[in-house]
Amino acid sequence: MRWILIIILCVLAHSGWSQSEKYTLSGYIRDADSGEELVGANLYLSSEENTGTVTNSYGFYSLTLREGKYTIRISYAGYSTQEVELDFFRDTTLNIKLTSGLTMDEVVIKAESDDENVSSTRMGTIQLPIEDIKKLPALMGEVDVLKSLQLLPGVLSATEGTSGFFVRGGAADQNLVLLDDATVYNPGHLLGFFSVFNADAIKNTTLIKGSLPAKYGGRLSSVVDIQMKEGNNKRWAAQGGIGLVSSRFSVEGPIVKDKASFFLSGRRTYVLDLAQPFLNGGNFEGTNYYFYDINAKMNYRISDKDRVYFSGYFGRDIFRFQSSSQDFSFDLPYGNSTATLRWNHLFSDKLFMNISAIYNNYEFQFEGGQESFQAALYSGIDDYSLKADWDYYPSTNHFIRFGVSFIHHQLQPQLITATTGEVDFSNDLLTKYGNEYAFYFQDEWKVNSRLTMQLGLRTSFFTQLGPYVSPESGQEFGDGESVITYWTPEPRASLRYKLTPLSSFKAGIAYTAQYLHLVSNSTSTLPIDIWVPSTERVAPQRGIQYALGYFRNFFSNRYEFSAEVYYRDLYNQVDYRDDYVNNPSNDVELDFVFGDGRAYGLELLLKKKKGDFTGWISYTLSRTERSFEEIEGGRWYPAFFDRPHDFSFVGIYQISPKWDVNGTFVFGTGNTYTPVAGAYRIEDRVNVFYGPRNSARLIPYHRFDLSVTYTPRPNSEKRFASTWNFSIYNIYSRMNPTFIYNSFDTDRESGIVESKAYRVSLFPIIPSISWNFKWNQ
């Protein structure tokens, strides 16, 4: 596009002009042991902590300074801080290697610098170091990144034990979950009880729940940006673990030392595999369930200015059910696939470019039935994406980002075929197509030593493509023909004003648009849930969020405190009409109703970052409501994930180099549900009528988990090391309700139908044990 060339020419011209007055220090910050780039490492002048920068998503930094002598300080969570004396009189490339060396003072929730809580312009942005996530107690011993997010303020769990989550009043589909820039549409295994992200394969996880940077789009609520490990380019290494539910193994090493490396990781569950001998000869012989993940990544450093990456993920849940007594069986496989090819190019010491080609797929299948009746169901999504991003560092006071993206969506609804005897049935629903385009521009501007602003604009477009038959007019559109185009300007702005060196005030506003929709009858995303695009009948969802915050550090940045308030308006929200009954022969969009939403709240967070005891306390006071004209006349009612009170405590205590004790406690208001108001019988059929939508609540939820990690030889110089993790989930066996179901009894004499509601709980106390190991060449 012409405007891209104009921007690049202006950037290069400005780069050359500015060098006549100042010089540029640039390079990469890497792990000294593995050679992997460190994302978000902090580099600043020891004498002027307000002058500095952080590395981007590929470990690159650029800092423009006047001629002189400087002491450069480089820090990163879990690594020894390094200082470099520099006599600066020309453009200089300085690649820095940091050594992992902090254990007792390791940060629990990593900030980009020691005072990131105060100095950053971004609100509600948190990076989670994977090593600390691995220490937290986990359901059945399965370390889960997404469940760890639920311990943060403003992030609510979907239901008991699941990895689904809701952020600041947004629905589950309003979270953008990325794995190496590829969208993961269903991030859950085992109906959402585990996430698809193998902790051993993860390098960095960033949650953004405040003012989204202009770089991100396509969702209203939040971004979870996960990056995979690149692989050790210096030596061979391996790690893995064996638990009660699953085992995993990872291997990495150099393809060409210091130039190319790879990473490969796999995970598989096997509980029902072990149970197969007990099923032999019974009614359920042949029934099995398991899931598996494969993560792979390769990279090659062509030169100091060029590098290419290829990464991929493939995961499946496999459920096979067999009932010999009822002559019934089915196969139910579903899962995600992603592939990302990226090219980094350094135009100059001020201009960094990344171009990505991305493919992602999610599909759900069902095949089964009886001898006299067979049925099959398929639904899925395929995305083909191209994107280009530029990072430009014109001066110390400006950090500019801009880019473009294109996504071609193919969404297959529930395609059903069935055969009974000589009769065949198919609903013949058409695949839906759409193109999504966007471009953005953002500038982080340090106005002065106190005030920093981040101003951005994202402009997005969505075009629905044929084949399509309009349900409104009956007009037919051919293959690739444009049906309707939506466009949305999405301005973003945030600011930070330093009140003192240890405190600051922040504010932000973000307008967002979402062109794909997931409407679910369940309280968590399930594999059978259907994604639909915006059409001439289904308008894009749009939202605006306002946020204010006060941030304060104490005792040499060892403690951090933040208080944030937010208000969010949501437009064109989608739900099913009240009398909706699933009919697979109908296009699901014909059953949608449209309305508005609102959410507001207060989030408090206190963290202790350093010392033998680390952790955090978070509390959220919030309300989330929806209004649909076709549901109860537009009355505002609480969403099912409305939870006024949500409290979390996380503590990590290092007793000695050999022993860590970790505990979490959570408390939350119970989820809402729609109660049964009464029932009556007509002939042999019980008819049920319900009270106001979501007018009742489950009892409050609370749970305490505990884990102990034992490292037999913590200071050993041997190549092989291992740890044991002992974990107890729900230590006092609180029977938290997952959902309510109703039973109906009819009095034979009076004919009165009596309704009884029963709470269903899934997880009592669950102990687990796992053995984890690492090996380095």
Side-chain angles (χ1 to χ4, degrees), residues 12 17 66 78 103 222 261 311 417 432 443 531 662 722:
L12 293 174
W17 170 81
R66 295 188 182 277
T103 53
S222 74
S261 62
S311 60
T417 59
K432 296 186 177 181
D443 183 15
W531 287 83
N662 315 288
S722 66

Side-chain angles (χ1 to χ4, degrees), residues 82-102:
Q82 187 177 133
E83 289 190 349
V84 177
E85 300 288 339
L86 188 65
D87 191 357
F88 195 59
F89 58 90
R90 62 184 178 188
D91 290 340
T92 303
T93 298
L94 179 64
N95 296 322
I96 300 162
K97 298 179 181 179
L98 293 183
T99 302
S100 177
L102 297 182

Side-chain angles (χ1 to χ4, degrees), residues 247-301:
S247 291
R248 61 196 189 280
F249 180 75
S250 304
V251 62
E252 57 186 312
I255 300 173
V256 178
K257 191 172 182 180
D258 294 327
K259 290 182 67 70
S261 62
F262 79 96
F263 179 87
L264 180 64
S265 182
R267 176 179 63 160
R268 191 188 189 280
T269 57
Y270 41 66
V271 173
L272 283 182
D273 289 322
L274 300 177
Q276 289 303 303
F278 302 98
L279 299 178
N280 290 337
N283 289 333
F284 300 104
E285 181 178 355
T287 297
N288 198 358
Y289 169 81
Y290 61 91
F291 68 76
Y292 63 90
D293 300 305
I294 300 173
N295 295 78
K297 192 167 185 176
M298 295 182 292
N299 70 93
Y300 180 65
R301 192 176 302 153

Side-chain angles (χ1 to χ4, degrees), residues 435-505:
N435 289 338
E436 187 173 345
Y437 314 84
F439 63 87
Y440 71 91
F441 184 88
Q442 176 181 291
D443 183 15
E444 184 167 315
W445 174 28
K446 294 181 181 178
V447 181
N448 53 45
S449 61
R450 289 182 178 269
L451 178 62
T452 300
M453 304 177 66
Q454 188 180 93
L455 305 174
L457 175 64
R458 181 183 181 89
T459 302
S460 58
F461 304 82
F462 184 88
T463 300
Q464 181 193 3
L465 303 174
Y468 182 73
V469 179
S470 170
E472 308 292 337
S473 64
Q475 181 180 356
E476 295 186 9
F477 297 85
D479 291 354
E481 187 176 353
S482 176
V483 179
I484 190 172
T485 296
Y486 297 97
W487 79 279
T488 309
E490 304 178 47
R492 320 279 175 88
S494 59
L495 65 85
R496 181 270 294 161
Y497 185 80
K498 267 198 172 183
L499 302 172
T500 70
L502 293 176
S503 64
S504 67
F505 167 82

Side-chain angles (χ1 to χ4, degrees), residues 193-415:
F193 290 117
F194 302 111
S195 81
V196 301
F197 304 112
N198 179 355
D200 287 350
I202 295 174
K203 172 183 177 181
N204 190 66
T205 301
T206 302
L207 167 69
I208 307 174
K209 58 187 175 73
S211 299
L212 301 185
K215 175 182 178 180
Y216 298 103
R219 299 294 186 273
L220 298 187
S221 186
S222 74
V223 174
V224 179
D225 194 346
I226 298 174
Q227 293 175 307
M228 288 169 50
K229 292 180 178 178
E230 298 164 8
N232 194 316
N233 64 18
K234 296 182 179 299
R235 60 181 63 86
W236 286 81
Q239 63 176 317
I242 300 173
L244 298 180
V245 175
S246 71
S247 291
R248 61 196 189 280
F249 180 75
S250 304
V251 62
E252 57 186 312
I255 300 173
V256 178
K257 191 172 182 180
D258 294 327
K259 290 182 67 70
S261 62
F262 79 96
F263 179 87
L264 180 64
S265 182
R267 176 179 63 160
R268 191 188 189 280
T269 57
Y270 41 66
V271 173
L272 283 182
D273 289 322
L274 300 177
Q276 289 303 303
F278 302 98
L279 299 178
N280 290 337
N283 289 333
F284 300 104
E285 181 178 355
T287 297
N288 198 358
Y289 169 81
Y290 61 91
F291 68 76
Y292 63 90
D293 300 305
I294 300 173
N295 295 78
K297 192 167 185 176
M298 295 182 292
N299 70 93
Y300 180 65
R301 192 176 302 153
I302 302 172
S303 68
D304 290 339
K305 293 181 178 293
D306 295 277
R307 188 167 184 175
V308 292
Y309 302 81
F310 177 76
S311 60
Y313 166 84
F314 184 83
R316 284 294 182 270
D317 285 64
I318 307 294
F319 183 22
R320 295 190 178 99
F321 177 81
Q322 180 74 46
S323 176
S324 57
S325 63
Q326 299 180 17
D327 182 30
F328 178 73
S329 65
F330 65 80
D331 287 338
L332 194 155
Y334 66 93
N336 302 273
S337 306
T338 73
T340 304
L341 177 63
R342 292 186 280 193
W343 169 44
N344 293 166
H345 178 68
L346 196 61
F347 283 101
S348 70
D349 50 15
K350 293 173 180 266
L351 182 59
F352 181 93
M353 180 193 71
N354 179 71
I355 293 180
S356 304
I358 305 164
Y359 169 74
N360 54 275
N361 161 270
Y362 172 73
E363 60 182 14
F364 171 86
Q365 299 178 65
F366 172 91
E367 292 184 3
Q370 297 173 304
E371 184 176 349
S372 60
F373 175 79
Q374 291 290 317
L377 180 150
Y378 176 85
S379 63
I381 304 174
D382 289 279
D383 284 349
Y384 302 86
S385 308
L386 287 173
K387 61 189 297 252
D389 303 283
W390 287 267
D391 292 352
Y392 176 49
Y393 307 80
S395 69
T396 304
N397 295 327
H398 289 273
F399 174 27
I400 295 173
R401 287 180 164 173
F402 57 95
V404 294
S405 64
F406 164 78
I407 307 173
H408 175 66
H409 299 286
Q410 298 181 7
L411 298 97
Q412 175 63 58
Q414 286 185 342
L415 185 62

Side-chain angles (χ1 to χ4, degrees), residues 414-439:
Q414 286 185 342
L415 185 62
I416 297 176
T417 59
T419 302
T420 175
E422 297 181 355
V423 179
D424 296 328
F425 165 80
S426 175
N427 58 359
D428 294 324
L429 295 180
L430 296 175
T431 301
K432 296 186 177 181
Y433 300 90
N435 289 338
E436 187 173 345
Y437 314 84
F439 63 87

